[in-house]
């Protein structure tokens, strides 16, 4: 499989202030971004910016959006890889593909975002059908992470934190947990989503006990139905 078939160069710009997650997570990311903005100044004191971040927790709660926001704040390109696709390509070539992706991010001084990190970072003690291959792969990843330069940024995401090898977990300077939003957090998110639509369409039933991604899909599906219904009604009136 071609390297570029495994990557997504995403150009979406997302501001850090637009993220909906805990104040602790936001503060940690703000500090990391400042460190990278003052990278050269910190080097004078032999200080390195934190540049290895693990995002873990529930699906649909903002991990990918967070990676994009970090890239936006640092004015860097982001290279997104879904690792389940990479693993399924050919397991014998996985280590080579992973190294090529790291090399690409290093050349571009980009943000490398590895989604579904558990697909290649499984514990070497796991009962995998190809334990030898997985052990070699984890060893390769450890080496790649250890030598990943500070002027690039590695962000990994997983929904299965406890399946990742402990030696890999220790490599991440920052580990942020993403939890399901409560009703107040979802209300703030609904308000943000709805503010762009006409006021008469905003009074809708709100669903709770769902992720941010599910809430967004719900609002967009409902709004499309309402907007199209209004357009068709107006069309019928004009046709009379």
């Amino acid at each position: 499989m071609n390297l570029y078939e495994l990557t997504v160069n995403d150009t979406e710009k997302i501001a850090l202030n637009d993220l909906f997650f805990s104040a602790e997570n936001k503060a940690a990311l703000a500090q990391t971004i400042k460190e990278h903005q003052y990278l050269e100044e910190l080097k004078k004191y032999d200080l390195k910016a934190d540049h290895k971040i693990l995002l873990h927790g529930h699906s649909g709660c903002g991990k990918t959006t967070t990676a994009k926001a970090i890239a936006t704040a640092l004015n860097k390109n982001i290279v997104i890889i879904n690792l389940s696709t990479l693993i399924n390509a050919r397991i014998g070539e996985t280590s080579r593909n992973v190294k090529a992706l790291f090399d690409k991010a290093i050349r571009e001084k980009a943000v490398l975002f590895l989604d579904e990190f558990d697909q290649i970072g499984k514990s070497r003690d796991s009962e995998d059908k190809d334990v030898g291959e997985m052990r070699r792969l984890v060893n390769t990843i450890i080496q790649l992470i250890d030598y990943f330069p500070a002027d690039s940024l590695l962000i990994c995401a997983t929904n299965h934190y406890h399946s990742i090898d402990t030696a890999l977990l220790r490599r991440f300077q920052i580990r942020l947990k993403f939890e399901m939003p409560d009703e107040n957090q979802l209300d703030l998110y609904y308000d943000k989503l709805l503010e762009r639509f006409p006021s008469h369409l905003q009074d809708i039933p709100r669903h709770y006990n769902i992720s941010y991604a599910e809430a967004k899909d719900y609002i967009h599906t409902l709004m499309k139905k309402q907007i199209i219904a209004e357009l068709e009604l107006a069309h019928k009136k004009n046709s009379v």
Side-chain angles (χ1 to χ4, degrees):
M1 181 174 285
N2 186 287
L3 171 64
Y4 294 97
E5 293 176 342
L6 298 171
T7 64
V8 177
N9 284 291
D10 198 296
T11 58
E12 183 181 9
K13 303 297 182 183
I14 297 175
L16 192 64
N17 289 334
D18 290 336
L19 296 178
F20 286 81
F21 59 174
S22 70
E24 292 80 6
N25 283 358
K26 192 169 286 191
L29 290 179
Q31 172 63 25
T32 301
I33 289 167
K34 287 180 181 179
E35 290 179 12
H36 281 267
Q37 290 171 335
Y38 293 97
L39 199 64
E40 295 303 318
E41 288 80 0
L42 292 175
K43 281 182 181 179
K44 297 174 183 177
Y45 298 93
D46 200 24
L47 295 171
K48 296 180 180 179
D50 289 342
H51 64 295
K52 302 163 188 174
I53 302 173
L54 180 66
L55 312 177
H56 63 97
H58 286 279
S59 177
C61 291
K63 295 188 289 295
T64 301
T65 305
T66 297
K68 292 178 182 178
I70 294 171
T72 299
L74 295 175
N75 196 29
K76 287 180 176 287
N77 293 331
I78 182 168
V79 180
I80 300 175
I81 299 97
N82 186 316
L83 291 173
S84 62
T85 303
L86 184 147
I87 288 290
N88 290 336
R90 279 183 200 164
I91 191 132
E93 297 180 358
T94 299
S95 294
R96 189 178 70 186
N97 286 336
V98 171
K99 185 179 185 306
L101 294 169
F102 271 75
D103 289 343
K104 173 180 169 63
I106 292 169
R107 283 196 308 272
E108 299 177 2
K109 296 183 179 180
V111 173
L112 176 60
F113 179 58
L114 305 181
D115 199 8
E116 298 193 31
F117 185 63
D118 49 280
Q119 293 289 325
I120 63 169
K122 291 178 182 177
S123 170
R124 285 168 286 186
D125 297 326
S126 66
E127 297 179 1
D128 194 272
K129 64 181 180 180
D130 194 344
V131 175
E133 171 67 17
M134 290 309 299
R135 284 177 178 169
R136 288 191 294 272
L137 179 55
V138 171
N139 289 335
T140 297
I141 297 165
I142 287 173
Q143 292 176 354
L144 290 170
I145 291 177
D146 283 346
Y147 291 101
F148 197 68
D151 57 1
S152 299
L153 199 65
L154 173 66
I155 305 175
C156 299
T158 179
N159 302 335
H160 305 285
Y161 180 85
H162 296 291
S163 71
I164 295 176
D165 193 272
T166 53
L168 271 174
L169 290 176
R170 288 197 298 270
R171 263 65 187 182
F172 292 98
Q173 300 135 330
I174 301 173
R175 285 173 263 176
L176 304 180
K177 185 175 182 180
F178 287 69
E179 298 181 301
M180 289 286 281
D182 58 27
E183 288 193 10
N184 289 334
Q185 290 170 322
L186 275 173
D187 276 331
L188 290 172
Y189 189 59
Y190 279 127
D191 290 343
K192 181 71 174 178
L193 289 173
L194 290 168
E195 67 182 11
R196 61 182 295 192
F197 299 105
S199 57
H200 69 279
L201 298 180
Q202 296 181 18
D203 187 16
I204 60 170
R206 298 186 174 192
H207 294 176
Y208 298 99
N209 297 316
I210 60 176
S211 69
Y212 289 119
E214 290 170 319
K216 183 177 181 180
D217 287 343
Y218 164 63
I219 292 297
H220 286 185
T221 298
L222 187 58
M223 285 298 158
K224 284 185 287 187
K225 287 180 180 179
Q226 293 188 146
I227 291 169
I228 290 171
E230 285 195 347
L231 291 171
E232 288 183 335
L233 182 61
H235 180 72
K236 288 179 181 178
K237 288 181 178 179
N238 292 334
S239 300
V240 175

